[in-house]
Amino acid sequence: MTVTDKILTEIKQLRDDINKHNHQYYVLDDPSITDQAYDQLFRRLQKLEADYPQLRTEDSPTQRVGSIPATHFDTVEHELPMLSLDNAFDDDEMMAFEKRLKERLTHQGAELSYTAEPKLDGLAVSLLYEQGVLTRAATRGDGNRGENITANARTLSSIPLRLQGKNFPQRFEVRGEVYIKHADFKALNEQQRRSGAKEFANPRNAAAGSLRLLDSRVTASRPLTFCCYGLGIVEGYELPVSHFERMQLLQAFGFPISPYIKCLSGIEACIGYYQSILATRDNLAFEIDGVVFKLDDVEQQTRVGFVSRAPRWAIAYKFPAQEVMTKLLDVDFQVGRTGALTPVARLEPVAVGGVMVSNATLHNMDEIQRKDVRIGDVVIVRRAGDVIPEVVSAVIDQREGNLVLPRMPENCPVCGSQVSRAEGQAAYRCSGGLVCSAQRKEAIKHFASRKAMDIDGLGDKLVEQMVDQGIIDSIGDLYHLEIHQLAGLERMAEKSASNLKTALDNSKSTTLARFIFALGIREVGETTAESLANHFTSIEAIQAADIESLQMVADVGPVVAENVYQFFQQEKNRLVIDNLIQQGVHWPAVTAIENHESQPLAGHVYVITGTLEGLSRDQAAARLKAKGAKVSSSVSAKTTAVIAGEKPGSKVTKAESLGVKVLDQQAFQSLLE
Ligand code: IVH
């Protein structure tokens, strides 16, 4: 093909752009575009360079991995380069990957074997062990040279400082990913917010920023996790030929490996694995952006070799991006249960992580200011794990014209009451209280919700209708509802009306903790409600408590104590509570849990999965907790056992891979007895 000026200009532009984005991503930990948009640029450049080989240059960003290391750490030269991975975006590209392998290996007959595991979204590190001791840790850097981060790596408890056993290579290098789990990320950002420090855009940035701090004491305070996925140089040791077996060996040396790692036969099985991991993606404790497949036989790996930046024997099958760009059309304000006004972004609809998104939270006005997000901007939207979609940042590069920041309305968009902001608080609130139908609706929805009074069939839409039509006004009215009042409502046949009445009656039998949670006291979540119930053991005692005695309760600080105190000081709240109890809301007596240690299941951690007969998961959890056990949502090596009902999910697989006990419903019943 002949080269036109247009092609030359496009290639130059692409290289400049990619270099700029690399610098933002790798050096500044502050990405300027989404991975998806970056991949597109990168692929376009790869395509042009393939079409016009005469235009390829040594310094093109396609010829190296990442970017130059920052200046303040010592540089480490990797003895074997740390490579990147080629990507596949659909099944056809996976088939093509296998076809290429078979051609290179002139392979016929039996299926090829692959090791499969999730692609963690963190950053790659290399760990050097000499005589079984960690002597050096380095980042990937540009693939050939990285930064010496030994002092920081030593602070991670998941990185062994000394290997287990006696029989290990004299000198060898382990490679893997440093990342941050969703829950840890949330807590870290919460902490950053409280201390007035800048919040991290996502777990990957937080991990990168934390690992590349000059003060390793700060790194030590960051919740970094390590998981290994491969080896670099190895001296003085005969390793197994199977990559999968090598990983088992690394685990025996004391390295964490993926609990999801599998050895699979043939590319179809790989595609099946991809689907099953994709289906559990939102429930995983950490962020992944795809699945990595590696030819399992290391001799075959050697035979197929490398291209400049990636091995031919491995591929990352990428998931739909969890961060994408779209346009911010407008900002509305949503009134919550406590009157707080949350700015909500109205977006040009876009698929994020495989789900269409047209609204996302902007959190609060401070965040909008800090991120400088303006109406009309192109913004980066993120949806990860089970959290609601959020606007991460504006793409300032692409701002056109004179755009304005969204403004907080002076009056509540729902009831027209004045909006004000208490000193030192991020939230603006509607001052309407129970005058505001939005607040009343939210309070009732919360009261009815699964973890509160668990009123089956009383969904959000129904509550909205009932408040709008004046059938109910507050939670106190719920138990007075008559079937004939429900009959006129949309989608409310006689049968569903009587079902709802039954559900209301059933919900009256509850626990003290649920009841306290259901009241919707500001900042009293499930855990705090439970602590309050266990400490005071009666609603009367909680109502009578002063701020000082409230603060004696585990996880109740001055702010929560003040909220609880103020709530019960209000006459109307006490009346509502009395009224509910008069209508039959009741709970079994609570015995004070002073000494957790003496309870039969103290110190044990259970995970519940699947459907249990005659028992909701919440109810099962309550029984376990009543015996002093902890109930967690994710399986780890610390889990005592997984309780599996009908149709259990991936948690059982994970438990099995970790050697954690799995109990069926019968075993669970005997445990409780
Ligand atoms: S293997 C020679 N396995 O993805 C192959 N990489 O895009 C080198 N990553 O730099 C990498 N999980 O930071 C491999 N299970 C996994 C991975 C993984 C995450 C990251 C790693 C690497 C990047 C390549």
Side-chain angles (χ1 to χ4, degrees):
M1 279 190 250
T2 55
V3 180
T4 61
D5 276 349
K6 196 161 154 268
I7 297 292
L8 275 172
T9 320
E10 185 180 357
I11 290 191
K12 176 166 185 321
Q13 188 64 49
L14 282 167
R15 287 180 183 157
D16 287 349
D17 286 352
I18 292 171
N19 279 331
K20 195 182 89 194
H21 296 313
N22 274 346
H23 183 78
Q24 286 282 334
Y25 191 89
Y26 287 103
V27 182
L28 306 179
D29 293 329
D30 190 9
S32 43
I33 56 167
T34 58
D35 290 359
Q36 193 191 32
Y38 177 89
D39 283 340
Q40 255 170 24
L41 293 178
F42 201 89
R43 286 199 150 200
R44 174 72 188 150
L45 180 57
Q46 275 181 320
K47 163 124 196 351
L48 289 177
E49 288 178 348
D51 289 346
Y52 305 94
Q54 66 272 40
L55 298 184
R56 250 182 241 165
T57 57
E58 276 288 302
D59 65 356
S60 168
T62 57
Q63 303 304 304
R64 61 193 177 104
V65 206
S67 182
I68 45 149
T71 49
H72 43 265
F73 285 104
D74 283 348
T75 301
V76 168
E77 181 110 29
H78 298 301
E79 289 170 56
L80 285 175
M82 290 185 78
L83 298 169
S84 181
L85 286 167
D86 242 352
N87 294 326
F89 293 94
D90 58 36
D91 293 355
D92 288 343
E93 293 184 355
M94 288 295 290
M95 306 290 233
F97 165 68
E98 170 151 88
K99 188 158 167 273
R100 289 195 297 274
L101 289 178
K102 285 187 169 170
E103 279 166 8
R104 291 220 169 240
L105 293 168
T106 55
H107 182 88
Q108 283 162 346
E111 296 277 21
L112 291 171
S113 288
Y114 302 93
T115 294
E117 65 199 337
K119 185 172 187 295
L120 293 163
D121 202 7
L123 74 160
V125 295
S126 143
L127 307 172
L128 182 68
Y129 287 82
E130 291 170 300
Q131 267 76 45
V133 175
L134 174 68
T135 52
R136 195 195 68 197
T139 61
R140 182 172 80 171
D142 69 358
N144 296 314
R145 272 174 299 273
E147 293 164 324
N148 187 326
I149 46 137
T150 313
N152 289 344
R154 287 177 62 91
T155 69
L156 271 70
S157 43
S158 44
I159 293 182
L161 296 179
R162 185 178 284 278
L163 300 182
Q164 289 171 11
K166 290 212 162 55
N167 183 21
F168 41 69
Q170 284 319 296
R171 186 166 181 277
F172 81 122
E173 185 195 351
V174 171
R175 292 174 176 182
E177 198 85 347
V178 168
Y179 65 101
I180 293 184
K181 295 180 184 158
H182 286 310
D184 292 334
F185 173 70
K186 214 174 130 196
L188 173 61
N189 259 357
E190 186 74 49
Q191 200 182 314
Q192 294 283 106
R193 196 176 316 142
R194 257 187 261 129
S195 63
K198 191 176 169 213
E199 286 175 54
F200 296 100
N202 56 45
R204 202 210 74 86
N205 282 318
S210 303
L211 199 62
R212 293 174 56 246
L213 285 168
L214 285 172
D215 187 343
S216 57
R217 290 169 303 182
V218 182
T219 306
S221 74
R222 300 282 171 85
L224 296 166
T225 312
F226 174 74
C227 177
C228 82
Y229 53 66
L231 286 157
I233 52 137
V234 179
E235 290 170 12
Y237 199 89
E238 195 68 38
L239 287 166
V241 179
S242 149
H243 176 75
F244 185 76
E245 283 173 30
R246 291 182 174 190
M247 296 308 295
Q248 309 299 315
L249 190 64
L250 287 177
Q251 188 174 38
F253 293 161
F255 294 98
I257 65 168
S258 174
Y260 301 95
I261 193 166
K262 272 219 161 102
C263 195
L264 303 167
S265 177
I267 211 72
E268 257 104 40
C270 294
I271 293 170
Y273 178 89
Y274 168 89
Q275 290 300 345
S276 70
I277 298 286
L278 179 58
T280 54
R281 181 191 198 182
D282 284 351
N283 302 323
L284 295 181
F286 44 83
E287 192 144 325
I288 61 175
D289 57 352
V291 172
V292 183
F293 299 98
K294 294 167 192 158
L295 202 51
D296 187 58
D297 183 322
V298 178
E299 280 167 15
Q300 288 177 341
Q301 289 183 1
T302 317
R303 274 163 60 205
V304 299
F306 302 84
V307 285
S308 60
R309 68 187 269 276
R312 287 203 185 88
W313 43 263
I315 198 152
Y317 191 174
K318 297 290 279 281
F319 287 154
Q322 282 181 321
E323 281 185 11
V324 302
M325 296 201 275
T326 189
K327 193 165 174 175
L328 175 63
L329 302 176
D330 204 355
V331 173
D332 288 343
F333 291 85
Q334 219 165 50
V335 186
R337 177 161 53 84
T338 60
L341 268 73
T342 306
V344 178
R346 303 292 176 213
L347 305 164
E348 208 155 83
V350 66
V352 193
V355 172
M356 284 311 281
V357 167
S358 48
N359 303 315
T361 180
L362 278 156
H363 300 291
N364 56 51
M365 296 311 279
D366 290 347
E367 284 285 284
I368 293 181
Q369 284 277 349
R370 191 176 64 71
K371 294 174 180 165
D372 188 23
V373 176
R374 305 188 189 184
I375 294 168
D377 263 335
V378 172
V379 292
I380 295 179
V381 179
R382 170 180 167 79
R383 191 192 74 88
D386 51 9
V387 298
I388 48 172
E390 62 168 352
V391 173
V392 177
S393 60
V395 183
I396 312 255
D397 281 8
Q398 294 193 24
R399 181 172 289 164
E400 273 172 9
N402 231 339
L403 303 182
V404 292
L405 280 163
R407 279 190 37 209
M408 177 59 69
E410 283 172 15
N411 298 92
C412 171
V414 177
C415 72
S417 302
Q418 214 188 329
V419 169
S420 62
R421 181 187 210 175
E423 206 166 316
Q425 285 198 9
Y428 285 78
R429 288 180 204 277
C430 157
S431 59
L434 292 180
V435 167
C436 179
S437 66
Q439 292 185 48
R440 280 184 281 132
K441 285 175 184 171
E442 293 310 311
I444 300 169
K445 288 179 198 171
H446 173 77
F447 185 80
S449 65
R450 207 167 52 81
K451 293 187 164 158
M453 301 299 282
D454 196 13
I455 307 172
D456 208 21
L458 187 54
D460 291 0
K461 286 268 164 328
L462 192 54
V463 171
E464 279 167 25
Q465 268 191 72
M466 292 203 289
V467 174
D468 287 339
Q469 301 191 13
I471 298 174
I472 51 172
D473 236 11
S474 76
I475 55 176
D477 301 333
L478 280 173
Y479 295 111
H480 291 299
L481 275 173
E482 299 291 342
I483 293 192
H484 70 85
Q485 289 179 288
L486 299 170
L489 295 167
E490 222 173 283
R491 270 174 300 179
M492 189 42 86
E494 198 163 319
K495 177 88 181 120
S496 18
S498 83
N499 284 349
L500 179 57
K501 189 80 186 135
T502 315
L504 278 163
D505 283 340
N506 288 345
S507 75
K508 288 181 188 169
S509 163
T510 184
T511 64
L512 178 57
R514 273 176 179 269
F515 183 68
I516 296 167
F517 175 61
L519 293 174
I521 307 168
R522 209 181 280 175
E523 287 185 60
V524 175
E526 277 171 276
T527 322
T528 309
E530 206 160 318
S531 310
L532 286 167
N534 288 336
H535 185 93
F536 290 104
T537 75
S538 78
I539 192 82
E540 292 77 16
I542 300 175
Q543 294 193 24
D546 57 18
I547 293 187
E548 207 166 284
S549 45
L550 283 164
Q551 283 200 58
M552 306 286 284
V553 180
D555 69 42
V556 173
V559 175
V560 177
E562 177 73 30
N563 290 343
V564 176
Y565 180 74
Q566 290 302 342
F567 182 89
F568 289 111
Q569 280 307 99
Q570 294 188 37
E571 176 75 16
K572 64 173 195 295
N573 289 338
R574 285 172 179 255
L575 284 176
V576 168
I577 292 168
D578 289 349
N579 190 282
L580 289 168
I581 293 171
Q582 252 167 38
Q583 286 168 72
V585 172
H586 66 278
W587 49 84
V590 184
T591 38
I593 305 176
E594 296 301 347
N595 184 1
H596 277 281
E597 305 304 309
S598 66
Q599 294 201 291
L601 296 181
H604 293 267
V605 184
Y606 294 91
V607 172
I608 308 170
T609 180
T611 322
L612 295 165
E613 219 184 288
L615 210 63
S616 75
R617 281 212 283 269
D618 285 337
Q619 286 168 328
R623 305 248 173 119
L624 287 167
K625 287 186 197 164
K627 294 203 166 359
K630 276 202 176 140
V631 177
S632 163
S633 57
S634 62
V635 184
S636 76
K638 293 200 186 98
T639 311
T640 311
V642 170
I643 292 154
E646 285 294 306
K647 297 217 185 95
S650 61
K651 285 176 184 156
V652 167
T653 331
K654 183 160 179 204
E656 281 163 357
S657 72
L658 289 172
V660 168
K661 252 193 295 180
V662 177
L663 305 180
D664 61 11
Q665 180 142 9
Q666 214 176 355
F668 171 55
Q669 296 295 358
S670 16
L671 175 76
L672 288 179
E673 281 152 25

